[in-house]
């Protein structure tokens, strides 16, 4: 048990070191930047994902993406910057609407947390290429996560959301 927890701590330290390295790549030649970015994308980001550290995973992916595919990164980033205000307004509106629905269905304010996010650059890129679509066609540029205290509340929330929003059956997770 102690050995495995030490191993996880070592992995977290390595991930943080790699994140720092990715943030300071500009001091290296382009060839070294690409090699390190490729290594980060296929090696380090999946480890962060496996450990459940999505913020580090997303940062590592986006920093790698910017080096490996600079034109694609620029296109997506410009879209996100240009549409940031609308995306944030939509996200905030959806979060507020969701909270009101959950309160109407009898959940108490302290029984749930609604967390929202805008999809990150590399994730958008992967979806665009996997589905062969343009960024304007992506349906889930924003997303929310509802965290509850117990499994019964999870099903209550799911029911409330399905009553108020029509699920896309082929897209339901």
């Amino acid at each position: 048990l102690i050995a495995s927890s030490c191993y996880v701590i070592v992995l977290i330290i390595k991930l943080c070191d790699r994140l720092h390295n990715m943030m300071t790549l500009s001091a290296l030649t382009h060839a070294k930047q690409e090699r390190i970015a490729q290594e980060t994308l296929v090696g380090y980001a999946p480890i962060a994902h496996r450990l459940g550290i999505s913020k580090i995973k997303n940062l590592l992916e986006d920093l790698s993406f910017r080096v490996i595919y600079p034109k694609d990164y620029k296109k997506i980033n410009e879209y996100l910057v240009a549409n940031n205000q609308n995306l944030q307004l939509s996200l905030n509106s959806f979060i507020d609407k969701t909270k009101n629905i959950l309160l109407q269905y009898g959940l108490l304010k302290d029984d749930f947390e609604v967390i929202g996010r805008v999809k990150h650059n590399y994730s958008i890129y992967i979806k665009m290429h996997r589905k062969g679509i343009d960024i304007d066609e992506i349906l889930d540029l924003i997303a929310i996560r509802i965290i509850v205290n117990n499994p019964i509340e999870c099903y209550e929330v799911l029911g409330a959301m399905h009553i108020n929003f029509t699920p896309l059956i082929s897209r339901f997770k």
Side-chain angles (χ1 to χ4, degrees):
L1 182 64
I2 294 172
S4 64
S5 66
C6 288
Y7 179 68
V8 172
I9 292 168
V10 169
L11 285 175
I12 291 170
I13 291 169
K14 285 228 167 261
L15 287 171
C16 291
D17 182 51
R18 179 51 63 121
L19 180 57
H20 177 264
N21 291 345
M22 289 300 296
M23 292 175 159
T24 58
L25 274 183
S26 60
L28 303 174
T29 65
H30 186 69
K32 281 187 178 181
Q33 289 179 21
E34 280 189 340
R35 182 185 57 76
I36 291 168
Q38 203 59 260
E39 185 179 275
T40 300
L41 194 58
V42 298
Y44 286 85
I47 292 170
H49 177 71
R50 182 80 173 119
L51 292 174
I53 313 171
S54 61
K55 288 191 187 235
I56 290 179
K57 177 196 81 92
N58 294 348
L59 282 169
L60 290 172
E61 286 178 343
D62 282 351
L63 290 167
S64 297
F65 175 44
R66 185 171 58 190
V67 171
I68 298 168
Y69 303 108
K71 290 178 185 172
D72 292 324
Y73 177 88
K74 184 179 181 203
K75 178 183 171 190
I76 291 169
N77 200 56
E78 285 175 351
Y79 179 90
L80 291 176
V81 168
N83 292 283
N84 183 52
Q85 187 173 6
N86 288 338
L87 289 168
Q88 288 301 324
L89 288 172
S90 295
L91 181 59
N92 292 339
S93 172
F94 188 48
I95 288 171
D96 289 342
K97 189 172 187 175
T98 300
K99 286 179 179 178
N100 289 332
I101 288 168
L102 297 179
L103 292 170
Q104 288 172 3
Y105 278 82
L107 275 87
L108 301 175
K109 186 177 169 184
D110 294 335
D111 288 345
F112 64 88
E113 181 181 4
V114 181
I115 301 168
R117 67 170 174 84
V118 175
K119 191 178 275 289
H120 71 106
N121 300 39
Y122 185 68
S123 176
I124 293 169
Y125 172 78
I126 291 298
K127 182 162 272 197
M128 287 169 59
H129 281 270
R130 191 175 63 233
K131 294 191 169 207
I133 59 176
D134 196 46
I135 194 167
D136 294 327
E137 300 172 81
I138 295 177
L139 299 175
D140 60 343
L141 284 177
I142 61 171
I144 62 166
R145 178 172 286 149
I146 303 169
I147 300 172
V148 294
N149 297 320
N150 58 58
I152 282 294
E153 289 173 341
C154 181
Y155 289 105
E156 290 171 358
V157 166
L158 183 62
M161 296 306 288
H162 278 200
I163 287 169
N164 287 276
F165 301 101
T166 305
L168 300 173
I169 300 303
S170 64
R171 299 275 305 131
F172 180 73
K173 295 184 202 174

